[in-house]
Amino acid sequence: MQTLIQQVLNALQLGSVYALIALGYTMVYGIIRLINFAHGDIFMVSTYVAFFIGTALMSHALRLPGIVAFGLTMAAAMMVTALLAVLIERFAYKPLRQAPRVSAVITALGVGLFLENFTLATIGPDPRFLPRFFSVQTFTVGGVAFSNIQIIIIAVSAAVMLLLDTIVRRTMVGMAMRAVSWDKSTAPLMGVPVDSIISITFAIGASIAAVGGTLFGMVYTVDPYMGIRIGWWAFISAVVGGIGNIRGAMVGGYILGFVEIFTPVILPASTYRDFVAFSMLLLLLIFRPYGILGRPVAQKV
Amino acid sequence: MMDDRSPMTDDVVLSVQDLHVSYGVISALRGISFEVRRGEIVTLIGANGAGKSTTLRAISRLVPIQQGSIIFEGVDLRAVPPHEVTAMGISHVPEGRGIFANLTVQENLKLATWGKKDQREIQQAYERVFSLFPRLAERRHQLAGTLSGGEQQMLAVARALMRGGRLMLLDEPSMGLAPVLVREIFDVLREINAAGTTILLVEQNARQALKLAHRGYVLETGTIALAGTSQELMDNPRVKEAYLGG
């Protein structure tokens, strides 16, 4: 029983990160029907930004309290990554908005490769560690051990997702995002600047990935290729939840977190996890292509 | 001769001159010119594919203009980005209603107040819209996609009212609606016009449109074939034969 709860906590921790990244895939797909295959690598870049800024802020000369350095690092990673995503959209995707959809998808793959290799060439392949913002404290409640880092990851992710959900559902910008997602030609008639809304969507998706990146970097190492596997898993999360559906991406992220943690519990080895995840994707695409929370949409003509 | 219903004013709100629009190699408009004066209801009638919707979409800057000018209250709209046209005072009820089916009725209306700051003005717009269309008030929390066709058209008009332009463009508001609903919508348009909004109405339903409008233009394959007061057009043998069913 204790091990089970322990594993559930691990699954929630990992699932939080998948969910945060999945949101970027789903939001961009929702607004311009593009699978932004560079998003996993945007997440990777965000962890590097967090690494450099975090390291600088935690240098002994500054003597910043860990919580302040953590907050500033995350904020900076969010801003830099948002800017990167907006620039990618502006210069790589926007010129292709009227082109066949496959052109933009191939461009996204190219942007991803560029980010990976640019990072490799400039920073190198060695894995990096984010500085410790907090000393690890382990608590044991009823035989279940968990760390403060785990709680921070789960809580911060949940708070960010709640905030996003509120923005999308309650604010004018959120309404405009939903409206643009439905019908780009009518939105300007309401005064909505469609290009700006698309940029804002990219910025929000990337900054949420940066939250995930900063949290992820507190537990795992950072390297130029980390975005590939995690990107795929987050992408599967988005599809499982129903691509284009924000709450679906959140649910899908947690599901994939559970798949990853519980695969080695049920199957003989953790190496089966990709097999399980991709099988899930295939089955879903066959039997419920609109995902768990998505609704089948009649194609508009 | 002016129609007796026509408001006597020379104040040209919208002036379209020699407008050319083409989609790739297909030219949709081949140099049309017309005017709308303040307080008028002007209709563009014509068959499917004559270029009626394209004309409205060109005014709202949703399609690129090859040649010609569109002057609204003295400003050439060619230099204005699409989302700013409406801020200048043009509201557009698009073809097929263009409601956001994934938003509630209330959200559709609220989104139409994009960029407006004056809360009192917004409140008054809500009150006006809900008194014109009480059914929308009843359904304000419903997803717009669940409304009937007539209600969706009311929402589309209501949204344009929330934008509160001085000129309202309407693209086939009668399309797909039962005659009783068409009358209802057209009554509202008459009311909106009486309250001071100038209207440019595009219709395939020529009879209804000419009954409502002060003046009209007949569009045929991207050019203006005829122009006149509604009465003149209704009496014209060519219009009678081609558009009013003989």
Side-chain angles (χ1 to χ4, degrees):
Chain A
M1 187 62 200
Q2 279 94 338
T3 352
L4 181 69
I5 297 176
Q6 198 103 50
Q7 298 290 30
V8 168
L9 277 175
N10 291 336
L12 284 177
Q13 173 188 323
L14 197 58
S16 299
V17 176
Y18 288 148
L20 291 175
I21 304 165
L23 285 166
Y25 280 104
T26 226
M27 289 173 75
V28 165
Y29 182 83
I31 205 120
I32 56 170
R33 302 292 181 273
L34 166 72
I35 307 285
N36 180 13
F37 279 117
H39 189 61
D41 297 301
I42 290 172
F43 158 79
M44 177 272 294
V45 171
S46 83
T47 62
Y48 272 101
V49 176
F51 163 73
F52 284 115
I53 291 172
T55 307
L57 289 176
M58 287 301 278
S59 66
H60 293 293
L62 285 170
R63 293 184 181 285
L64 284 175
I67 180 98
V68 175
F70 168 70
L72 289 176
T73 299
M74 186 176 278
M78 289 170 78
M79 280 190 285
V80 174
T81 314
L83 181 68
L84 173 70
V86 168
L87 290 176
I88 290 172
E89 193 277 326
R90 173 67 189 78
F91 292 106
Y93 303 154
K94 194 178 170 199
L96 294 170
R97 209 164 291 155
Q98 310 304 327
R101 206 171 293 173
V102 67
S103 311
V105 172
I106 291 167
T107 304
L109 286 167
V111 170
L113 286 171
F114 171 78
L115 292 177
E116 284 160 26
N117 289 295
F118 183 80
T119 310
L120 187 67
T122 52
I123 304 173
D126 307 331
R128 310 285 179 125
F129 298 87
L130 255 68
R132 285 197 187 287
F133 298 112
F134 311 100
S135 52
V136 180
Q137 288 165 343
T138 311
F139 309 93
T140 311
V141 177
V144 180
F146 56 91
S147 73
N148 55 340
I149 306 290
Q150 243 175 342
I151 300 304
I152 289 169
I153 290 176
I154 294 169
V156 170
S157 305
V160 167
M161 286 188 249
L162 200 67
L163 180 67
L164 175 71
D165 198 69
T166 311
I167 290 173
V168 171
R169 274 166 204 278
R170 301 262 172 264
T171 67
M172 277 303 256
V173 168
M175 246 179 258
M177 286 165 63
R178 285 182 284 144
V180 170
S181 147
W182 184 263
D183 182 352
K184 263 177 250 343
S185 69
T186 305
L189 301 181
M190 303 297 118
V192 173
V194 172
D195 287 339
S196 310
I197 297 297
I198 291 172
S199 294
I200 291 171
T201 307
F202 270 85
I204 294 179
S207 47
I208 293 172
V211 171
T214 311
L215 296 173
F216 185 87
M218 287 172 32
V219 186
Y220 303 94
T221 57
V222 176
D223 72 79
Y225 292 119
M226 64 188 285
I228 300 173
R229 195 190 76 84
I230 295 168
W232 272 110
W233 278 64
F235 169 65
I236 297 172
S237 305
V239 176
V240 165
I243 191 125
N245 184 310
I246 285 181
R247 288 182 178 176
M250 300 178 188
V251 172
Y254 289 114
I255 290 176
L256 270 282
F258 277 84
V259 167
E260 175 152 352
I261 297 296
F262 283 90
T263 296
V265 176
I266 296 158
L267 293 174
S270 70
T271 42
Y272 283 94
R273 62 187 186 184
D274 285 322
F275 165 73
V276 174
F278 281 94
S279 306
M280 232 171 91
L281 177 66
L282 283 177
L283 288 175
L284 211 84
L285 288 178
I286 293 167
F287 295 108
R288 204 179 156 85
Y290 36 89
I292 292 172
L293 292 192
R295 292 265 173 279
V297 179
Q299 191 71 45
K300 290 207 305 172
V301 284
Chain B
M1 199 192 83
M2 289 290 277
D3 188 298
D4 56 355
R5 287 174 300 166
S6 194
M8 300 295 282
T9 162
D10 294 330
D11 182 7
V12 174
V13 179
L14 180 76
S15 163
V16 171
Q17 296 301 326
D18 192 33
L19 180 63
H20 287 74
V21 172
S22 53
Y23 299 110
V25 289
I26 303 155
S27 70
L29 295 177
R30 309 158 193 239
I32 66 164
S33 303
F34 65 93
E35 282 177 355
V36 180
R37 292 189 285 262
R38 195 170 300 284
E40 274 188 317
I41 303 179
V42 173
T43 184
L44 302 180
I45 58 175
N48 232 338
K52 306 185 303 288
S53 290
T54 302
T55 305
L56 296 193
R57 292 173 65 77
I59 296 168
S60 282
R61 302 292 293 105
L62 297 177
V63 292
I65 295 163
Q66 264 76 46
Q67 195 187 313
S69 66
I70 301 172
I71 313 284
F72 174 69
E73 294 181 343
V75 180
D76 193 338
L77 294 181
R78 273 179 315 174
V80 179
H83 65 273
E84 282 174 20
V85 170
T86 168
M88 296 179 60
I90 298 179
S91 47
H92 184 160
V93 180
E95 188 178 18
R97 300 151 198 156
I99 60 148
F100 301 112
N102 58 336
L103 268 58
T104 64
V105 169
Q106 172 109 44
E107 286 174 335
N108 268 277
L109 296 174
K110 190 170 175 201
L111 189 67
T113 66
W114 184 275
K116 295 195 183 298
K117 300 273 179 289
D118 187 345
Q119 285 305 317
R120 246 196 41 214
E121 187 194 318
I122 293 174
Q123 207 46 49
Q124 283 168 355
Y126 273 121
E127 280 162 24
R128 178 173 180 216
V129 156
F130 286 140
S131 79
L132 279 172
F133 304 110
R135 238 174 315 166
L136 294 182
E138 289 164 28
R139 313 207 159 188
R140 60 207 291 176
H141 299 300
Q142 230 167 288
L143 283 181
T146 66
L147 299 180
S148 71
E151 289 164 345
Q152 290 191 5
Q153 190 62 64
M154 289 173 193
L155 178 57
V157 175
R159 224 170 37 169
L161 286 172
M162 294 300 294
R163 288 249 27 105
R166 294 177 294 284
L167 171 65
M168 189 184 283
L169 315 176
L170 292 119
D171 199 341
E172 306 249 10
S174 76
M175 190 159 58
L177 298 187
V180 56
L181 284 170
V182 174
R183 259 197 302 281
E184 199 175 318
I185 296 270
F186 276 47
D187 283 345
V188 170
L189 296 184
R190 193 171 285 121
E191 237 178 290
I192 291 169
N193 175 249
T197 304
T198 308
I199 289 178
L200 176 58
L201 170 71
V202 151
E203 264 297 343
Q204 272 197 75
N205 188 336
R207 187 183 303 276
Q208 289 283 352
L210 289 173
K211 263 198 246 167
L212 177 73
H214 306 115
R215 292 191 301 118
Y217 295 86
V218 178
L219 225 58
E220 275 169 12
T221 56
T223 54
I224 292 198
L226 277 170
T229 66
S230 294
Q231 197 56 54
E232 284 164 5
L233 290 177
M234 279 190 278
D235 294 340
N236 183 301
R238 258 183 73 195
V239 174
K240 271 189 185 166
E241 168 154 2
Y243 302 105
L244 302 175

